[in-house]
């Protein structure tokens, strides 16, 4: 299907409502059971909402905010707003009231959709700061404050009142007026540094990126099921896992919650998912933890299978070589080991699309070895998002693939990746200065340091602003070191510091299950986890693990000291963005005393720190 033969995303949905009328479009969980809507039913719900929005005065070009996690209501709101001529402006469900107020005021939205009472209460707390909001619409029914009334999406849609021919004609006339140059959305960056900027993307930006990306991937069947769990507020999930899926007549199932993704994978049995590296890190860890519990014989079979799987994946997909004996061995281990692993994730997965951050080579190779291919890609909110993507015909486990069709890439003198293409944004909303700063002679500056090999494979080194320059003048990319640290079975997350300092230090979150298992083997006595990770033996364990990593690094890039944190970095804790990227500035501020103390001790490896239950240094 040629998306660009249509003028807009709503126009394609209208066509699909006829072409795939009885095919399942979306699934969602309600009262413990997954329910679904066909394309025909979904389109009707979109038209009903568009009718309601027109009645309350939404006009062409009006911004309307969506403050919600992924769910059916989000999708209906998105298409309904567009079909009424408005511009959907998403707000991350994890944002605070003040963060939401900034976006609402900056885009001048008069209407805000919320998912739950909790989101509504965030707005209620900042009611005086959002005087322009005239209407709040919720996906769930609850009592609002008299001073700030709230209505349900069902009420606004007047679900009990059938669409008349006039209603449908009015809305579809508006859909026909939407052009490829019209804005499909304004997405505010998640704000790892500074104030969020509103990225203006057009219908053409997103439709072209979805179409070119699907063609580049080239492995989708006629009926696929995508499980959606990354925030639809982020352009990666929205374009790759949502628009591309629905526009091509496929099925999107919304996960209940990020924490229930593994459970939902078994229930939904998806064929495809879009994810960030954190999911694959967890799969890698979970599989290895399971292998650790096996009998010596079965553990030996697992490691032998993995060795054969890695060799098979490298020969077949990276080198393009056929090896019949190796293929026979792989099929045997696939029946004995890998198929059982895949069954734990639904059993039908054909592949993942990965973005948001570079995926570690070891983990990517592991995923391909067990028969769960990960197609690594790279992009930005400002590029709708994809710029590069892997393909089954050309894979490098440490690369983000090759440039998409019609996408031009080049490197600046300092190694920053510069891009041009149909997916590049129109600019930042109400911020001409920031827009000008982001372009150089028509090329978008990505802010990422990269390298491109002779075959066209792109490798992302790190964020330009996150490159560490030590006191000795050495430039060090922290992300590859952090990825190596996270591969250790006792380490869950890692962040490296050292900018303008004489050496590198690291904050490590512990894999508590593994550490507790190890403590039992060592017969350690402790009252709680905080006392456990303060023990000299645990300190020595981690010192040994860091020392082993350091052997593979040049002296100036070795970790000279570390501190342990007994809990993971989280979105709620303010350490991660909604797309699970580390907030380096916030983490440093939160654990500043711990980091600074490691330098006061001059990196002698004797420092040991942990945190208390409330996050204070101990």
């Amino acid at each position: 299907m040629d998306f660009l033969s249509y003028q807009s995303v709503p126009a394609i949905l209208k066509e699909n409502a006829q072409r795939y009328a009885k095919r399942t479009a979306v699934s969602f969980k309600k009262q413990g059971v997954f329910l679904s809507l066909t394309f025909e039913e979904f389109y009707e719900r979109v038209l009903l909402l568009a009718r309601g929005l027109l009645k309350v005065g939404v006009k062409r070009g009006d911004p309307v905010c969506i403050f919600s996690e992924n769910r059916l209501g989000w999708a209906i709101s998105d298409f309904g707003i567009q079909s009424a001529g408005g511009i959907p402006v998403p707000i991350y469900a994890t944002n605070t009231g003040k963060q939401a107020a900034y976006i609402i005021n900056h885009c001048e939205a008069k209407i805000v959709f919320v998912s739950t009472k909790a989101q509504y209460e965030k707005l209620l707390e900042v009611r005086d700061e959002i005087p322009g909001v005239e209407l709040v619409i919720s996906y769930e029914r609850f009592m609002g404050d008299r001073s700030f009334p709230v209505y349900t999406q069902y009420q606004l849609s007047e679900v009990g009142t059938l669409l008349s021919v006039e209603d449908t004609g009015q809305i579809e006339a508006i859909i026909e007026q939407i052009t490829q140059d019209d804005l499909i959305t304004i997405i505010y960056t998640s704000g790892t540094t500074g104030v969020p900027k509103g990225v203006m993307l057009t219908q053409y930006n997103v439709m072209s990126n979805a179409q070119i990306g699907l063609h580049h991937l080239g492995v989708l069947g006629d009926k696929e099921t995508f499980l959606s769990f990354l925030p639809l507020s982020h352009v990666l999930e929205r374009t790759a896992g949502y628009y591309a899926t629905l526009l091509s007549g496929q099925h999107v199932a919304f996960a209940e919650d990020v924490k229930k993704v593994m459970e939902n994978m078994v229930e939904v049995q998806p064929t495809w998912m879009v994810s960030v590296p954190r999911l694959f890190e967890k799969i890698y860890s979970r599989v290895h933890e399971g292998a650790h519990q096996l009998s010596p014989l079965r553990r030996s079979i697992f490691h032998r299978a993995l060795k054969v799987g890695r060799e098979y994946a490298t020969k077949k997909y990276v080198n393009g070589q056929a090896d019949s004996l190796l293929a026979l061995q792989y099929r045997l281990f696939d029946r004995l080991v890998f198929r059982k692993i895949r069954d734990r994730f639904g059993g039908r997965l054909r592949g993942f699309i990965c973005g948001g951050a570079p995926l570690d080579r070891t983990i990517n190779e592991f995923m391909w070895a067990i028969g769960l291919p990960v197609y690594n890609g790279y992009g930005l909110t400002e590029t709708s998002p994809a710029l590069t993507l892997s393909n089954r015909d050309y894979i490098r486990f440490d690369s983000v693939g090759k440039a998409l069709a019609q996408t031009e890439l080049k490197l600046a003198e300092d190694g920053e990746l510069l891009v041009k293409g149909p997916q590049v944004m129109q600019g930042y909303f109400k911020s001409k200065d920031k827009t000008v700063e982001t372009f150089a002679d028509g090329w978008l500056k990505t802010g990422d340091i990269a390298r491109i090999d002779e075959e066209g494979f792109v490798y992302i080194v790190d964020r330009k602003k996150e490159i560490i320059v030590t006191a000795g003048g050495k430039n060090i990319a922290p992300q590859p070191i952090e990825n190596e640290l996270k591969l250790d079975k006792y380490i869950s997350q890692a962040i490296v510091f050292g900018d303008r300092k004489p050496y590198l230090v690291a904050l490590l979150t512990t894999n508590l299950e593994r550490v507790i298992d190890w403590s039992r083997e060592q017969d350690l006595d402790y009252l709680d986890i905080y006392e456990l990770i303060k023990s000299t033996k645990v300190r020595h364990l981690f010192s040994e693990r860091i020392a082993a990593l350091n052997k593979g690094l040049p002296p100036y890039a070795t970790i000279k000291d570390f501190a342990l944190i007994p809990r993971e970095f989280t979105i709620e804790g303010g350490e991660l963005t909604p797309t699970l990227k580390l907030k380096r500035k916030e983490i440093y501020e939160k654990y500043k005393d711990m980091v600074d103390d490691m330098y006061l001790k001059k990196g002698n490896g004797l420092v040991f720190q942990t945190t208390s239950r409330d996050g204070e240094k101990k």
Side-chain angles (χ1 to χ4, degrees), residues 497-562:
F497 297 101
D499 197 48
R500 292 174 290 178
K501 300 290 186 180
Y503 50 81
L504 303 185
V505 299
L507 291 178
L508 310 174
T509 68
T510 54
N511 185 328
L512 290 180
E513 290 183 15
R514 283 290 182 90
V515 173
I516 290 171
D517 286 346
W518 178 86
S519 71
R520 291 193 186 112
E521 295 171 2
Q522 301 298 313
D523 293 324
L524 292 184
D525 291 325
Y526 57 93
L527 291 174
D528 58 23
I529 194 62
Y530 301 95
E531 183 175 342
L532 172 62
I533 68 168
K534 284 194 296 179
S535 73
T536 302
K537 284 192 175 182
V538 169
R539 172 68 187 187
H540 183 67
L541 168 68
F542 279 85
S543 294
E544 288 181 334
R545 316 298 288 194
I546 299 296
L549 170 70
N550 282 341
K551 288 180 181 179
L553 298 171
Y556 62 84
T558 55
I559 305 298
K560 297 296 193 294
D561 215 337
F562 64 92

Side-chain angles (χ1 to χ4, degrees), residues 105-124:
N105 291 332
H106 191 266
C107 73
E108 302 179 45
K110 296 179 181 178
I111 298 174
V112 182
F113 285 84
V114 298
S115 55
T116 63
K117 187 175 183 179
Q119 303 293 48
Y120 166 79
E121 288 177 342
K122 290 180 186 178
L123 298 183
L124 184 60

Side-chain angles (χ1 to χ4, degrees), residues 229-333:
F229 80 97
L230 290 183
L232 283 168
S233 303
H234 188 268
V235 72
L236 173 60
E237 182 70 38
R238 193 160 167 197
T239 297
Y242 167 67
Y243 283 142
T245 306
L246 289 176
L247 299 189
S248 58
Q250 313 291 352
H251 168 211
V252 175
F254 294 114
E256 291 176 87
D257 185 88
V258 172
K259 296 176 183 177
K260 293 189 176 182
V261 170
M262 298 291 191
E263 178 185 324
N264 291 159
M265 287 168 73
V266 176
E267 295 173 299
V268 173
Q269 296 184 317
T271 57
W272 285 89
M273 289 176 66
V274 177
S275 183
V276 291
R278 188 62 182 147
L279 175 66
F280 310 119
E281 292 166 4
K282 284 184 175 292
I283 290 174
Y284 178 89
S285 177
R286 178 174 288 194
V287 171
H288 279 82
E289 284 172 12
H292 182 68
Q293 306 298 323
L294 297 174
S295 67
L297 175 60
R298 294 180 67 189
R299 195 184 314 141
S300 175
I301 293 173
F302 168 79
H303 288 297
R304 174 61 182 161
L306 205 51
K307 183 177 183 297
V308 168
R310 290 182 187 278
E311 186 178 350
Y312 175 78
T314 299
K315 276 197 172 183
K316 181 175 181 178
Y317 300 111
V318 176
N319 301 328
Q321 298 173 348
D323 187 325
S324 56
L325 179 59
L326 185 63
L328 182 63
Q329 288 179 295
Y330 183 81
R331 285 196 293 273
L332 172 64
F333 284 120

Side-chain angles (χ1 to χ4, degrees), residues 1 3 5-17 43 79 82-83 172 175-176 178 203 207 247:
M1 183 177 186
F3 297 163
S5 65
Y6 298 85
Q7 287 297 307
S8 70
V9 162
I12 300 176
L13 181 65
K14 174 190 169 190
E15 174 72 18
N16 286 351
Y43 182 59
F79 279 99
Q82 291 184 61
S83 298
E172 292 186 341
I175 291 174
E176 289 177 8
I178 302 172
Q203 296 280 344
M207 288 194 300
L247 299 189

Side-chain angles (χ1 to χ4, degrees), residues 98-370:
K98 283 191 174 294
Q99 289 170 327
Y102 174 83
I103 295 172
I104 292 166
N105 291 332
H106 191 266
C107 73
E108 302 179 45
K110 296 179 181 178
I111 298 174
V112 182
F113 285 84
V114 298
S115 55
T116 63
K117 187 175 183 179
Q119 303 293 48
Y120 166 79
E121 288 177 342
K122 290 180 186 178
L123 298 183
L124 184 60
E125 289 175 2
V126 295
R127 178 66 182 108
D128 293 342
E129 299 176 33
I130 48 174
V133 174
E134 299 174 356
L135 181 62
V136 177
I137 305 160
S138 173
Y139 304 145
E140 297 180 2
R141 186 183 298 276
F142 55 82
M143 290 294 293
D145 190 272
R146 288 183 179 181
S147 65
F148 197 36
V150 57
Y151 303 90
T152 67
Q153 184 163 277
Y154 260 55
Q155 288 174 308
L156 184 66
S157 301
E158 296 179 282
V159 174
T161 304
L162 295 176
L163 286 162
S164 67
V165 174
E166 291 76 14
D167 291 333
T168 302
Q170 180 187 13
I171 298 163
E172 292 186 341
I174 293 172
I175 291 174
E176 289 177 8
Q177 292 170 11
I178 302 172
T179 72
Q180 293 184 356
D181 294 329
D182 286 330
L183 293 185
I184 191 172
T185 191
I186 301 172
I187 299 179
Y188 282 80
T189 57
S190 54
T192 53
T193 58
V195 176
K197 301 184 291 289
V199 177
M200 296 187 292
L201 299 177
T202 66
Q203 296 280 344
Y204 178 76
N205 286 150
V206 171
M207 288 194 300
S208 64
N209 201 233
Q211 177 163 297
I212 291 171
L214 286 174
H215 184 265
H216 184 97
L217 199 60
V219 292
L220 293 186
D222 184 47
K223 293 182 180 179
E224 306 283 1
T225 295
F226 278 69
L227 180 62
S228 171
F229 80 97
L230 290 183
L232 283 168
S233 303
H234 188 268
V235 72
L236 173 60
E237 182 70 38
R238 193 160 167 197
T239 297
Y242 167 67
Y243 283 142
T245 306
L246 289 176
L247 299 189
S248 58
Q250 313 291 352
H251 168 211
V252 175
F254 294 114
E256 291 176 87
D257 185 88
V258 172
K259 296 176 183 177
K260 293 189 176 182
V261 170
M262 298 291 191
E263 178 185 324
N264 291 159
M265 287 168 73
V266 176
E267 295 173 299
V268 173
Q269 296 184 317
T271 57
W272 285 89
M273 289 176 66
V274 177
S275 183
V276 291
R278 188 62 182 147
L279 175 66
F280 310 119
E281 292 166 4
K282 284 184 175 292
I283 290 174
Y284 178 89
S285 177
R286 178 174 288 194
V287 171
H288 279 82
E289 284 172 12
H292 182 68
Q293 306 298 323
L294 297 174
S295 67
L297 175 60
R298 294 180 67 189
R299 195 184 314 141
S300 175
I301 293 173
F302 168 79
H303 288 297
R304 174 61 182 161
L306 205 51
K307 183 177 183 297
V308 168
R310 290 182 187 278
E311 186 178 350
Y312 175 78
T314 299
K315 276 197 172 183
K316 181 175 181 178
Y317 300 111
V318 176
N319 301 328
Q321 298 173 348
D323 187 325
S324 56
L325 179 59
L326 185 63
L328 182 63
Q329 288 179 295
Y330 183 81
R331 285 196 293 273
L332 172 64
F333 284 120
D334 188 62
R335 285 198 301 271
L336 291 174
V337 179
F338 301 143
R339 190 176 299 171
K340 295 175 182 178
I341 294 174
R342 294 195 298 272
D343 285 344
R344 291 162 58 187
F345 303 106
R348 294 204 310 144
L349 274 164
R350 298 180 56 212
F352 294 89
I353 298 169
C354 178
L359 177 63
D360 182 84
R361 174 181 183 148
T362 300
I363 293 177
N364 198 7
E365 185 182 45
F366 164 79
M367 295 297 293
W368 280 82
I370 66 174

